[in-house]
Amino acid sequence: MKGIWLEKNQLQLRTDLPIPQPPEGEILVKVLRAGICNTDLELIRGYYPYQGVLGHEFVGIVVEGPKHLMNQRVVGEINAACGYCRFCLQGKPTHCENRTVLGIVNRDGAFAEYLCLPEKNLHVVPEDVTTDAATFTEPIAAALEIQTQVKVTPEDRVLVVGDGKLGQLIGQTLALTGCDLLVVGRHKDKLDHLSARGIKTGLANIVQDRQFDIAVDCTGNPEGFSIARRALRPRGILVLKSTYAGNLSLDASALVVDEITLIGSRCGEFAPALELLATNQIDVTPLIHGTYPLSQGLIAFEKAQSKGVLKILLEMN
């Protein structure tokens, strides 16, 4: 089969990859569509020493598995857990000590014609959700994870720093809480997508210090972290929602004095994300800036790294 292969920080379009053979308990999925994410781009830059097929945001069709799933469109949670370590036994499979992670850790990913995942990881896509929209299930679930970690109420002033792909989805999901929300970034054209939905936006330089109860940094860079940190009132909550490729310097003393709660946030549950898509509470269409066939995958990656580009999709057929 064809696939986008990463090795020694270099991408290749390979045509000689074996079609995976699903072990017991796993399902063979023919990939229809997959989205290029910032984590994929950071892996190329050496964020984690991964070798294999990239990609973890996908929609596919089950071609080998139980009858109730055959020929169904599915999306898949990316962490494949062992089921017996201390975190699995505590109901925390995303922190499984033995996990593999689709397209990230010891498991070939979605930028190929086929992939394998455990049956328990798969979720059937509702009929009224398009394949393009369903490709966003994983990042929407990640955005919703914030609300499982932090109680957000209409009384809270909330800041989201970053107008990229994840910032756009976090802004939309947090807006559903009715909180007093502001999303800031560097690109007015990107922020306009959120403004069109009635969400207050602005350039990063409008943020005033010590005015917010909750701040979410989606930038993955020191400047974004600094803006989010300075925006918090004492006893505020700072959520880190991005891939940080390098070391981050911070004023630990100030965190102590202001009694700031610092929360890392990663993967979320898929069912609520699919529900938001099925009920049209989230609009992902403006975020799609191009679709490329798998055969043009390397060109797609170049486009995904271009200034101003949000989501690039790969079409496997």
Side-chain angles (χ1 to χ4, degrees):
M1 68 174 184
K2 293 193 293 290
I4 303 295
W5 182 269
L6 176 67
E7 186 171 346
K8 296 180 180 178
N9 304 115
Q10 297 293 320
L11 286 183
Q12 308 170 48
L13 174 63
R14 291 182 54 175
T15 59
D16 61 345
L17 298 173
I19 295 175
Q21 300 300 307
E24 184 177 356
E26 297 206 5
I27 304 296
L28 182 64
V29 175
K30 179 177 175 60
V31 182
L32 298 175
R33 208 85 81 249
I36 298 176
C37 157
N38 277 2
T39 300
D40 301 315
L41 303 180
E42 292 294 347
L43 284 167
I44 297 172
R45 298 174 187 131
Y47 154 69
Y48 183 84
Y50 174 70
Q51 174 177 309
V53 177
L54 281 177
H56 56 275
E57 302 175 5
F58 77 94
V59 183
I61 291 180
V62 173
V63 293
E64 186 176 327
K67 287 185 178 180
H68 72 280
L69 286 179
M70 285 295 295
N71 300 317
Q72 296 271 13
R73 282 187 309 156
V74 293
V75 291
E77 299 187 29
I78 68 175
N79 295 281
C82 70
Y84 56 79
C85 74
R86 55 176 175 159
F87 288 106
C88 286
L89 296 176
Q90 293 170 6
K92 302 173 183 177
T94 58
H95 291 283
C96 168
E97 295 173 321
N98 307 302
R99 71 184 183 275
T100 60
V101 186
L102 187 70
I104 300 174
V105 181
N106 297 328
R107 178 178 287 266
D108 283 336
F111 296 154
E113 294 175 287
Y114 296 89
L115 62 79
C116 288
L117 272 176
E119 180 181 348
K120 61 185 178 183
N121 285 49
L122 299 181
H123 299 257
V124 174
V125 177
E127 289 185 7
D128 52 353
V129 176
T130 68
T131 297
D132 280 355
T135 308
F136 288 80
T137 304
E138 194 277 336
I140 293 172
L144 287 171
E145 177 66 7
I146 294 171
Q147 295 179 47
T148 70
Q149 297 171 291
V150 180
K151 183 179 181 180
V152 183
T153 72
E155 289 72 40
D156 289 317
R157 291 201 70 193
V158 181
L159 174 69
V160 175
V161 183
D163 53 20
K165 298 178 282 291
L166 189 54
Q168 295 275 333
L169 298 175
I170 290 171
Q172 289 195 48
T173 53
L174 285 173
L176 298 174
T177 69
C179 67
D180 183 0
L181 176 65
L182 173 65
V183 181
V184 299
R186 297 174 176 172
H187 312 94
K188 184 179 181 302
D189 55 335
K190 293 181 181 179
L191 293 169
D192 284 346
H193 297 314
L194 296 172
S195 299
R197 298 184 64 82
I199 296 171
K200 186 165 55 176
T201 64
L203 298 179
N205 59 9
I206 72 168
V207 178
Q208 296 182 354
D209 293 354
R210 303 170 77 86
Q211 296 296 310
F212 292 86
D213 305 296
I214 302 166
V216 183
D217 176 28
C218 311
T219 68
N221 64 58
E223 182 184 358
F225 175 88
S226 178
I227 292 169
R229 166 64 192 97
R230 289 187 287 102
L232 284 174
R233 296 167 174 162
R235 290 203 170 181
I237 299 173
L238 177 53
V239 181
L240 303 184
K241 194 71 184 185
S242 187
T243 301
Y244 288 82
N247 293 327
L248 185 66
S249 296
L250 53 86
D251 184 349
S253 178
L255 293 175
V256 173
V257 170
D258 281 347
E259 297 184 325
I260 299 298
T261 299
L262 188 64
I263 295 178
S265 185
R266 197 164 50 91
C267 302
E269 297 181 3
F270 274 37
L274 287 168
E275 176 66 18
L276 289 185
L277 287 169
T279 54
N280 295 313
Q281 295 183 72
I282 294 289
D283 183 14
V284 299
T285 304
L287 309 185
I288 301 173
H289 283 187
T291 302
Y292 292 77
L294 179 60
S295 60
Q296 296 181 20
L298 301 186
I299 297 173
F301 263 86
E302 290 181 9
K303 183 66 173 179
Q305 297 177 73
S306 301
K307 184 177 180 180
V309 171
L310 288 171
K311 183 65 71 176
I312 296 296
L313 302 182
L314 287 174
E315 188 171 23
M316 304 306 162
N317 188 357

